[in-house]
Amino acid sequence: HGQPFFAPPRDPSHLASLIAAEETAAVTGTLAAAPQLDQERTRLLVDVEALHRPTGDQPAHGRLRLSLAGTPGEPLMAGDRVRALARLGPARGFANPGSFDYPRHLARQGIWVSGWIRDPGHLLRLPGAPAARPWQAWAQCLRQPILALVERHAPPRYQALYQAILVGQRAGIPQDLLDNFEACGVFHILSISGAHMAVVALFAAGCARWLLGLWPGLLLRLPARQLAGLFALLPLTGYALVAGLEIPVLRSLIMVVVVLAALVWHRQARLTTSTAAAGLIILVAHPPSLLDVSFQLSFAAMLAIALVLPVILRQLPAITERQAGLRQRLAAWLAGSLALSLAAGLGTAPLGILHFNRLSLVSPVANVLVEPLIGAWALILGLAAALALPVAEPVAGLLVAMGSWGLAAADRMTAWLAALPGAALWLTTPSLAEVAAVYLLLAGILCWRTGRLARGAVAVGLAVAMGVPLAAHLARSRETATRVTVLDVGQGAAVVAELPHGVTVLLDGGSTAGRTFNLGREIIGRFLWQRRIRRLDGMVVSHSHADHTNALPFVLGAFRPRRLWTNGEPSPGGEPEWLAAARQLGLAAETPAAGEVLLATGEARLAVLSSPLAATGSHGPPALPRGPNAASLVVRLAAGRHRLLFPGDIDQEAEAALLAAGADLAAEVLLAPHHGDGKACGQTFLAAVAPKLILASAGFANPFGFPDPALPARAAALGSRFLGTADSGAITVVASGSGLAAWSFRPDRGQPGRSDPAWVLAEDVGKGISAGGDGQ
């Protein structure tokens, strides 16, 4: 049932069939949802009805994802008809092993084409009433006054946080606040979920019972509880529409509806039954939801509460109402809350590590402390403020201001907990077998007393959960080949070199990607975790430009490199953030001289060919000409008889200085200087290097025009192969005693990939090198 969501539509009038390559065109369509705003851009979801090209107009259909630089020139709402001039193309994302597959994520939503609107003036709202989905327009009309109320009365730091809690709009939450919530394992509080639905249902049912109580005769003739439950369905559904009908909202709504249905038909409500019903309904309606992280975590938490919590509670001492005083009741509530948080944490931890590589050790305590501040204080006061807004805005504003006190307390609490040593751990990406083994181990422990089957499950779970990581560690320590991966980071550079015996070095790490995108975590970190690398042995920073360094603060904190080498050039704007982060970690930056060997292990040697420092001894060229790019460290990796050259962002003047000094530049693989700029990578330099493979790390359709369009032809004239990350995604080169092989991560650009897993560079490869194990 879900297969159609993973194959492009074959309809010739579908947008996916009409837009096969990048082009600039105009589209007309209807907004399928309210615009999503953040600090840098606006995201729009458009159901297209026509495509306008210079050659003419034609009918088209399909859903389109548009991004606008800035905000629209006029307010827009779901159902508005719009026309936009945009750069359109097949949905793209960073293509790296271990990274989030953004195009597939969009495909699960029926989106195969995306676009970029460079100017707000290129987006027009067409006259007329909203055309489709009137309920969405109605929901937005209710949502906007609540958002405006929060903006007027909540402190600036907590405005976006309060909006997320009330109506599910998360854009604009301060990054440090998000990081603290995640480190404490309370990030789920930012989603509209069961707590919200419970508050709305209880309030609506209470109001219905009160209204029925005004006519005692009705209570004698009608089932008051059942009527109150049915009455609660209307505000519940309305609130779900206002909150956007995301998966946690749908799951909570369906579960509450199942519980209310059980109440109406005099059935006993079971948590497992309502959870299963919610999952079944969502999956029948939209099967790809099974692969959605929110779906997996939401249902894992609910099932763990249903199955694990009762086992934990049975271990706690029972307290009867007659025996319990205030202290005993408080202790029982605290123990029960901790048990609930622990059960949910056990259920979601394996999936959380699989998807986010993080485990919070303070989560049980943090949930007990933070959830009452948000769920029992800020949420209730915020919903009360929304109800009071139409009749008494001053009262509504006071309620929002009071609710913000709970958010401020939660902010301070999570900041304190997140700062504790070992509060959260970064972990390598487990295999699906390891995730299954952990759940098998948990099930065996829960059923320990049932007999041999449970104990066998514990034994198998332990063996797999511990054996697979140990085997992977031993395999890395015994590896003799050298593996280099040029990551797809957009317009920037990041290279991971895995040397023999498990030694790993990062060469640069940065990109011009937006400020709200954590490149260090989402690309470099996920790749390293997918390769089961927890710590770097070294980090080489060729120069201090942001497109080579802005991901390094996260990488430094998460992977704690043992050594750091830089070109030693001062930054014009003072100490850069990444260097300050290194200093805080007690890591001293070293400036190597030309000819210095940075690392040597097995048959691999990582050495500096040139540096802003004067050459030492009798070998090596003199210092390169000064300048941010020209002063880049030039590094060469020797792997047995194979050579790979990484010249940073040097220009042709620096290249000429290297050649004049007689530097040995010969290498089979060259990372093109300055991302393939036409003002670098001169023909004389290329002839001296004589590469068999030239790689360019540059962003797709970047404004600088990198790499130079003539570079592939110049490479072909030398008998070299050219690959760029913009088209090929991450590019991996493996050098071993049997030869040199390379492949790209993205196979759909006519490059080596899944269909051609190992493109051989050398003639004497023998059996070749397999590309298996990376998901290529």
Side-chain angles (χ1 to χ4, degrees):
H1 183 43
Q3 284 302 313
F5 291 90
F6 300 103
R10 297 181 180 180
D11 184 349
S13 63
H14 194 280
L15 203 60
S17 301
L18 297 173
I19 306 293
E22 300 291 325
E23 64 173 284
T24 298
V27 293
T28 298
T30 303
L31 289 182
Q36 297 179 359
L37 310 177
D38 63 23
Q39 297 175 354
E40 296 180 334
R41 66 185 64 185
T42 303
R43 291 185 174 87
L44 307 164
L45 202 58
V46 180
D47 287 330
V48 175
E49 60 188 56
L51 178 65
H52 313 281
R53 289 169 160 147
T55 55
D57 302 342
Q58 62 188 115
H61 67 93
R63 184 156 288 185
L64 171 66
R65 178 71 174 266
L66 290 174
S67 295
L68 167 67
T71 57
E74 55 182 326
L76 297 173
M77 64 171 49
D80 282 343
R81 292 185 71 247
V82 296
R83 181 167 296 167
L85 177 66
R87 182 73 177 174
L88 304 176
R92 298 179 59 91
F94 296 109
N96 299 284
S99 293
F100 178 66
D101 193 339
Y102 184 65
R104 188 173 183 181
H105 169 72
L106 292 182
R108 292 200 294 265
Q109 304 173 48
I111 303 170
W112 296 92
V113 177
S114 61
W116 173 254
I117 306 173
R118 294 189 179 276
D119 190 287
H122 295 165
L123 175 67
L124 300 176
R125 179 182 178 275
L126 301 179
R133 291 187 176 91
W135 62 266
Q136 286 187 321
W138 171 82
Q140 188 167 344
C141 287
L142 292 180
R143 187 186 302 120
Q144 288 302 325
I146 298 174
L147 296 175
L149 174 69
V150 171
E151 290 177 356
R152 289 194 299 270
H153 297 284
R157 177 172 173 81
Y158 305 118
Q159 289 175 1
L161 178 60
Y162 219 153
Q163 291 171 346
I165 292 168
L166 292 177
V167 297
Q169 182 170 304
R170 294 193 215 171
I173 300 178
Q175 190 59 47
D176 64 316
L177 195 150
L178 290 174
D179 291 340
N180 291 335
F181 270 58
E182 185 181 7
C184 294
V186 295
F187 195 83
H188 62 277
I189 297 178
L190 303 183
S191 299
I192 307 293
S193 60
H196 301 69
M197 293 298 179
V199 170
V200 174
L202 289 173
F203 178 79
C207 289
R209 288 290 298 271
W210 176 76
L211 289 173
L212 289 172
L214 295 179
W215 295 277
L218 290 178
L219 294 179
L220 297 176
R221 296 177 176 85
L222 300 175
R225 292 181 62 196
Q226 285 79 1
L227 285 177
L230 289 174
F231 177 81
L233 288 177
L234 183 61
L236 272 174
T237 305
Y239 183 64
L241 294 176
V242 171
L245 287 180
E246 295 183 354
I247 284 180
V249 180
L250 279 174
R251 187 261 303 163
S252 303
L253 175 62
I254 295 170
M255 291 181 67
V256 173
V257 169
V258 171
V259 171
L260 292 176
L263 175 67
V264 170
W265 278 287
H266 302 283
R267 298 277 186 170
Q268 182 177 357
R270 290 179 174 270
L271 185 57
T272 50
T273 302
S274 57
T275 302
L280 179 62
I281 293 171
I282 291 174
L283 290 178
V284 168
H286 192 249
S289 298
L290 183 64
L291 302 179
D292 191 277
V293 177
S294 175
F295 179 93
Q296 295 176 12
L297 293 177
S298 181
F299 282 90
M302 294 308 302
L303 289 174
I305 291 172
L307 302 175
V308 179
L309 181 60
V311 178
I312 298 176
L313 292 178
R314 283 198 294 268
Q315 312 306 315
L316 300 178
I319 300 177
T320 65
E321 289 292 331
R322 293 182 179 181
Q323 295 173 338
L326 179 60
R327 181 178 300 177
Q328 288 79 9
R329 291 183 181 181
L330 183 60
W333 171 83
L334 181 60
S337 300
L338 284 171
L340 175 65
S341 180
L342 180 60
L346 289 173
T348 57
L351 289 173
I353 297 170
L354 174 67
H355 293 297
F356 304 112
N357 299 97
R358 203 167 199 187
L359 175 64
S360 174
L361 299 182
V362 299
S363 176
V365 175
N367 276 279
V368 172
L369 296 176
V370 173
E371 287 213 29
L373 295 172
I374 293 180
W377 180 264
L379 173 62
I380 292 177
L381 290 178
L383 293 176
L387 291 176
L389 179 59
V391 294
E393 181 175 346
V395 174
L398 177 61
L399 292 173
V400 167
M402 293 173 61
S404 300
W405 301 344
L407 301 182
D411 181 19
R412 297 188 187 95
M413 188 67 67
T414 53
W416 178 74
L417 289 171
L420 294 176
L425 304 177
W426 295 108
L427 301 175
T428 59
T429 306
S431 64
L432 292 179
E434 291 169 88
V435 173
V438 172
Y439 281 119
L440 182 64
L441 174 63
L442 179 60
I445 293 174
L446 293 175
C447 305
W448 180 261
R449 296 180 181 179
T450 60
R452 294 181 179 178
L453 186 61
R455 292 164 192 164
V458 171
V460 173
L462 275 176
V464 175
M466 298 180 65
V468 172
L470 179 60
H473 174 73
L474 292 175
R476 279 186 54 80
S477 64
R478 295 176 181 176
E479 180 62 63
T480 57
T482 296
R483 179 189 186 104
V484 174
T485 302
V486 180
L487 296 175
D488 175 16
V489 294
Q491 183 54 39
V495 180
V496 177
E498 300 173 62
L499 310 184
H501 310 304
V503 176
T504 306
V505 181
L506 177 67
L507 288 81
D508 288 336
S511 171
T512 56
R515 292 173 296 171
T516 58
F517 181 73
N518 191 334
L519 178 80
R521 172 175 174 173
E522 300 301 329
I523 294 183
I524 300 175
R526 290 194 184 279
F527 174 80
L528 293 172
W529 289 320
Q530 187 259 359
R531 295 290 301 159
R532 295 186 183 271
I533 297 169
R534 297 189 60 183
R535 188 167 187 186
L536 293 171
D537 295 280
M539 179 184 289
V540 178
V541 182
S542 64
H543 63 297
S544 60
H545 277 172
D547 63 337
H548 288 248
T549 61
N550 61 7
L552 297 185
F554 176 85
V555 178
L556 284 162
F559 294 92
R560 303 293 180 105
R562 292 181 172 87
R563 298 183 69 181
L564 171 65
W565 297 281
T566 74
N567 66 352
E569 291 287 284
S571 177
E575 184 180 51
E577 183 183 357
W578 61 271
L579 201 53
R583 181 170 48 78
Q584 291 175 0
L585 293 171
L587 181 62
E590 308 172 44
T591 303
E596 183 175 337
V597 176
L598 305 181
L599 282 173
T601 176
E603 294 186 346
R605 289 162 54 90
L606 185 67
V608 176
L609 293 187
S610 67
S611 165
L613 286 183
T616 58
S618 59
H619 62 283
L624 292 181
R626 294 285 175 172
N629 288 332
S632 297
L633 292 177
V634 179
V635 178
R636 187 170 68 177
L637 174 61
R641 57 192 174 85
H642 306 294
R643 303 288 184 272
L644 298 91
L645 184 63
F646 307 97
D649 277 358
I650 63 172
D651 53 19
Q652 289 194 17
E653 182 183 359
E655 294 170 4
L658 282 169
L659 294 170
D664 180 13
L665 299 175
E668 290 164 294
V669 180
L670 169 67
L671 182 62
H674 201 203
H675 316 284
D677 184 4
K679 298 178 181 178
C681 214
Q683 201 66 25
T684 306
F685 175 79
L686 284 178
V689 179
K692 294 180 179 178
L693 175 63
I694 299 176
L695 309 176
S697 179
F700 178 78
N702 65 82
F704 311 105
F706 298 158
D708 181 12
L711 186 56
R714 292 164 56 199
L718 290 172
S720 303
R721 183 82 178 260
F722 174 84
L723 293 176
T725 57
D727 289 325
S728 301
I731 304 166
T732 298
V733 179
V734 175
S736 68
S738 59
L740 195 67
W743 61 85
S744 64
F745 184 73
R746 181 184 282 134
D748 56 350
R749 307 291 181 192
Q751 308 290 359
R754 280 184 199 138
S755 59
D756 183 14
W759 170 55
V760 176
L761 289 169
E763 295 294 335
D764 57 341
V765 172
K767 296 182 180 179
I769 299 172
S770 170
D774 290 319
Q776 279 100 321

